[in-house]
Every structure is written in C-alpha cells, then in structure tokens.
Amino acid sequence: MPLIMTEEDFAQAAREKAKEKNVPFVLAVYMVLEECLRECLSTSGIQLACRQGCSACCYQMVTCTPLEFEVILRYVNSLTEDLKQRIIMGTNKVVGDWRRYHAKNPRFFVGTAEGVMKVHRDWNQRPCPFLSKEDGSCRIYPVRPIDCRTFTSLETCQRPILRAERFRFDPEKWVNNLILGESVRKTGVFAVTPLHHWISMVWPQGRKKPAESVHQ
Ligand code: SF4
C-alpha cells in the first residue's frame, strides 16, 4: 500500500484497491481503512481498549449510507439459509419497535438536526439489530458500516456510551465524507439512515428472504 498521509491519498488508495480487487468502492474503503489502522497502531504505539467481546458501542443508533447497506444486504444474502434466518429472526423485535416508532414520528430522520438528535437520544441504550444476544458478537462483522468501524476508544467503554469517549486516528475521520460523497454521487440522494430503517425496508415483516438490493 502506498504511504497514506492525506485524505486525498486515502481516497486514491481506495479507488486503486477497488480496481485491483474488483470489489465495490465501499469494501475497498473498509480494506484500506483496516490497513491504515494497523499502520497507525504499530507506528504510534497507541493501544486501543477495543476488544473482541466488548459490544458497548453497539447499544446506540447506528446509521449508514445506501452503499454501505447494499454491501450488508449482499453479505446476508450470500450466507447459508440457516445463518440468514438467524439474522432475520434476531432483528425482529428491535425492527418491530422501530416500525412503530417511525410510524408515529415519520419525519424525524429527514427533518431537522434536532429531530435527528432526538432519534439518537430515544434509541440510546437499545441494542443494534445485528447484535447477537447469544454471545454479544456482530452478525455482520465483515461488512459492518463505517459508524461501527470508527468507534474506537482508548478507554474501556461503559454503558451508556458517551461520544466523547471516541478516539479516532486521521483515516477514521476521513472515511465518513468519502463514503457519503460516493453515495451521493452514485444515488443522487443525501441519505444516512438508521440500520433499523434499512432493515424494515428490505425485509418487511413476515418475509423470509431479504430483497436482493436496497433499490427493490
Ligand atoms: S452492526 Fe455490528 S458492530 Fe455495528 S453496532 Fe451493530 S452489532 Fe455492533
């Protein structure tokens, strides 16, 4: 990987990675981000407190762009029927709650910044739909969105999570804009939407099989 020192270097490395690996741009961004974080950790000597089994940051509202959710959807659809059903069943409760909440507050997430903050407050301390109740692992870990990938901390997080606990290396600060920019370019829409909402759109209640795409 070329030396990455600026946001533009990062974007270029992601574009090259997408071509080299023949993968969607979002997956290439995830790959380059992982490589950069390994590099940042080894050269800075900084130790993150994040450990396998800690799911403190999974108890808050996670949002993502259509491009990120498309990758999640493809991943879920590529799993065995058994794993896919486990994911779908695991999301039922929280997504049902979201449907009722959203029916009462349909415009919160497309309205004001205050509305968005309220949604985050109302859903703080609620588990992410993809969090496994059995072992606290992420059921979509290889394709988890940028929101999750960049929630790193120097101290072991206690719930409720405070956003101030978040520590980010520079590449972690760059990726949001990069993916959002690509998403707006590809879809023409500025959309950063709760995971709950994406799920409620692609696997409507009672449906056993997710849609193949967020555009269906
Ligand atoms: S997608 Fe995975 S990593 Fe992200 S909040 Fe949900 S369970 Fe946690």
Side-chain angles (χ1 to χ4, degrees), residues 19 51 138 150 163 181 188:
K19 264 197 212 147
R51 295 281 176 273
C138 172
T150 59
R163 309 260 337 156

Side-chain angles (χ1 to χ4, degrees), residues 57-58 62 128-131 137-141 144-145 148 195:
C57 63
C58 303
V62 169
C128 169
F130 290 123
L131 184 65
S137 66
C138 172
R139 293 186 192 273
I140 57 150
Y141 192 77
R144 67 202 184 287
C148 313
L195 281 179

Side-chain angles (χ1 to χ4, degrees), residues 9 30 33 37 66 99 147 167 178 201 209:
D9 293 339
Y30 296 167
L33 179 62
L37 289 185
R99 283 197 178 96
D147 237 10
F167 166 84
L178 185 58
M201 288 196 295
K209 189 173 176 307

Side-chain angles (χ1 to χ4, degrees), residues 27-211:
L27 282 181
V29 170
Y30 296 167
M31 288 176 192
V32 175
L33 179 62
E34 280 175 15
E35 289 168 12
C36 282
L37 289 185
R38 271 198 298 274
E39 178 79 12
C40 288
L41 286 168
S42 75
T43 55
S44 68
I46 288 175
Q47 299 234 332
L48 295 177
C50 306
R51 295 281 176 273
Q52 193 173 8
C54 173
S55 55
C57 63
C58 303
Y59 287 79
Q60 58 185 327
M61 172 67 74
V62 169
T63 59
C64 73
T65 58
L67 297 190
E68 292 164 275
F69 198 76
E70 190 78 43
V71 165
I72 293 173
L73 198 48
R74 273 195 217 168
Y75 174 77
V76 172
N77 276 317
S78 74
L79 297 173
T80 63
E81 203 49 41
D82 180 47
L83 285 174
K84 201 185 304 181
Q85 289 311 314
R86 268 199 239 171
I87 291 180
I88 294 174
M89 301 305 281
T91 63
N92 273 350
K93 162 91 177 65
V94 67
V95 171
D97 291 347
W98 170 262
R99 283 197 178 96
R100 283 184 286 281
Y101 176 86
H102 187 252
K104 281 192 207 151
N105 310 289
R107 294 203 56 78
F108 269 4
F109 234 86
V110 289
T112 60
E114 201 182 310
V116 173
M117 293 300 291
K118 177 165 168 46
V119 174
H120 279 286
R121 272 199 310 274
D122 289 349
W123 286 77
N124 194 18
Q125 289 307 292
R126 305 283 309 264
C128 169
F130 290 123
L131 184 65
S132 161
K133 280 191 203 73
E134 290 90 54
D135 61 6
S137 66
C138 172
R139 293 186 192 273
I140 57 150
Y141 192 77
V143 289
R144 67 202 184 287
I146 283 297
D147 237 10
C148 313
R149 286 170 191 271
T150 59
F151 207 105
T152 41
S153 175
L154 298 180
E155 291 172 28
T156 302
C157 297
Q158 305 293 333
R159 286 170 50 202
I161 279 277
L162 303 170
R163 309 260 337 156
E165 288 170 15
R166 193 176 195 173
F167 166 84
R168 290 188 294 172
F169 290 105
D170 282 345
E172 294 178 276
K173 298 176 191 160
W174 300 331
V175 284
N176 265 328
N177 280 346
L178 185 58
I179 288 198
L180 190 54
E182 179 73 1
S183 185
V184 172
R185 200 176 64 74
K186 281 245 167 82
T187 65
V189 187
F190 184 100
V192 183
T193 307
L195 281 179
H196 313 57
H197 197 63
W198 285 122
I199 298 170
S200 68
M201 288 196 295
V202 298
W203 51 84
Q205 261 166 336
R207 186 167 168 171
K208 293 237 170 68
K209 189 173 176 307

